[in-house]
Amino acid sequence: MQTNSESTKEHVNQSVDLTQPSDASGDIRADRSFDAITDHFEKKVYGGLKGDIRLAVLRRDIFEYSAQMSESLGRPLRILDVGAGLAQIAIELAAQGHKLVINDISANMLEKAKASAAQIDEDLNITWYVCPYQELPEKLGTENSEKFDLIMCHALLEWLAEPAAVMDFFDQQLTDKGALSLCFYNPASFDYRNLIMGNFNLLDNTEYKADNKKSLTPNHPVAKEEVESWLTAHHYQIIRTSGLRVFHDYAPLKRGGHNDPDAVIRMELRYSQLEPYKWLGRYLHILATR
């Protein structure tokens, strides 16, 4: 999750630039900051079963593929986690012996991530960059010209002012046969959940926006079809798709297996790659190669 560092807070809080993208209502958009609510983010996203499901699906998808790629190349991978937030998956990949570059524009997020990494091993091969992803090429270019075998971008697209622009960054930083891991909020899940909950007034309100002072529901999510069109335009081939939380969030009445967290994760993993269930996930994960 990309959040905001002290330097970027100054940039974002400057007077409004009318050249920046705006939505249909004319509101100026900017890359979303969570720096001020890091503790709330950690508790809300990873403080319960929702976070456990999210990590379980990502671990399965990414660890399986990274192990295969590493074996094929005969060496540890060079991996970038852009907008990493708490960087759980990245830290675990570093613990597996891979070389990680971890980035976020939130100093608070990366401080928590560094503390987590230190608890595992203080000598993990991790380089940390607190900056907007747009500044990474300059920082990386001055220290190392190597490109990345795997780039992870999780829960970032929906918070960027210009999400499609990040594809050019991926093109520049990924090796010719590298892989891209994109995890993003699924706007179809918002509609479906509110249909189930009977929130028809909300769905009829075309001007509805979440209160983004603390809400983690994005007001500008990108649909699966849009992301797929970007990948096609940039000559990527999708090799795996998964849904994260394909049923957990839709069960207001917990009964039977819903009361067993291990059983919930097991079933979420089972149905996360099956159609049509995976397309109901609150988040979608796409693995694609050049």
Side-chain angles (χ1 to χ4, degrees):
M1 177 71 68
Q2 181 164 354
T3 53
N4 215 348
S5 67
E6 293 302 317
S7 61
T8 307
K9 275 192 283 188
E10 181 181 352
H11 169 75
V12 170
N13 291 331
Q14 289 174 350
S15 57
V16 172
D17 180 355
L18 295 180
T19 66
Q20 291 297 310
S22 60
D23 58 24
S25 65
D27 292 339
I28 302 300
R29 290 175 55 181
D31 294 359
R32 171 69 196 276
S33 167
F34 288 100
D35 200 64
I37 58 169
T38 299
D39 290 337
H40 173 73
F41 171 88
E42 182 178 29
K43 180 179 179 180
K44 186 74 173 177
V45 176
Y46 293 107
L49 184 55
K50 291 195 300 184
D52 294 339
I53 295 167
R54 177 175 178 156
L55 291 174
V57 175
L58 291 175
R59 285 186 181 113
R60 179 202 59 198
D61 289 1
I62 295 169
F63 292 174
E64 284 181 3
Y65 189 79
S66 61
Q68 293 169 3
M69 182 187 290
S70 181
E71 182 177 1
S72 174
L73 294 173
R75 60 170 173 78
L77 302 181
R78 179 169 163 79
I79 302 172
L80 168 65
D81 192 355
V82 58
L86 301 175
Q88 294 97 324
I89 299 295
I91 292 168
E92 292 179 38
L93 285 165
Q96 294 172 16
H98 301 295
K99 183 178 181 180
L100 268 291
V101 172
I102 298 179
N103 153 260
D104 201 282
I105 61 174
S106 168
N108 290 337
M109 285 286 192
L110 288 195
E111 282 303 312
K112 284 183 174 288
K114 288 179 183 179
S116 298
Q119 289 180 353
I120 296 175
D121 186 343
E122 292 185 353
D123 295 323
L124 294 177
N125 193 343
I126 300 176
T127 303
W128 308 86
Y129 289 110
V130 179
C131 65
Y133 88 84
Q134 294 91 337
E135 294 179 7
L136 268 177
E138 181 179 0
K139 294 180 179 295
L140 293 168
T142 58
E143 297 185 17
N144 198 325
S145 60
E146 288 185 88
K147 293 189 176 183
F148 296 95
D149 304 301
L150 172 66
I151 297 179
M152 300 187 295
C153 176
H154 299 163
L156 173 61
L157 297 180
E158 56 268 33
W159 301 110
L160 293 176
E162 298 182 88
V166 78
M167 294 299 302
D168 290 331
F169 169 81
F170 297 148
D171 290 347
Q172 296 165 6
Q173 298 300 323
L174 201 62
T175 61
D176 289 342
K177 296 183 179 180
L180 184 60
S181 168
L182 292 177
C183 182
F184 53 97
Y185 182 86
N186 179 15
S189 74
F190 177 86
D191 293 343
Y192 191 59
R193 187 169 188 272
N194 282 292
L195 286 169
I196 291 173
M197 301 298 291
N199 297 329
F200 301 155
N201 289 340
L202 185 152
L203 293 172
D204 285 338
N205 181 4
T206 58
E207 302 299 321
Y208 172 79
K209 289 186 178 181
D211 178 4
N212 276 166
K213 290 181 180 179
K214 278 199 171 184
S215 175
L216 299 179
T217 300
N219 284 316
H220 303 286
V222 290
K224 171 181 72 76
E225 293 78 10
E226 187 173 4
V227 174
E228 289 173 341
S229 72
W230 299 343
L231 292 169
T232 298
H234 287 257
H235 309 291
Y236 289 83
Q237 179 182 5
I238 295 174
I239 58 174
R240 173 175 291 189
T241 55
S242 298
L244 287 68
R245 306 198 326 253
V246 300
F247 71 85
H248 171 267
D249 292 21
Y250 302 119
L253 179 62
K254 307 300 182 185
R255 61 176 71 185
H258 290 140
N259 296 306
D260 180 352
D262 290 337
V264 171
I265 292 174
R266 176 170 57 86
M267 298 303 281
E268 284 279 357
L269 285 168
R270 178 188 297 182
Y271 284 88
S272 65
Q273 292 183 328
L274 297 179
E275 294 195 31
Y277 316 104
K278 64 181 178 180
W279 305 126
L280 298 175
R282 297 306 300 279
Y283 286 78
L284 299 176
H285 180 230
I286 292 178
L287 265 176
T289 57
R290 295 290 288 267

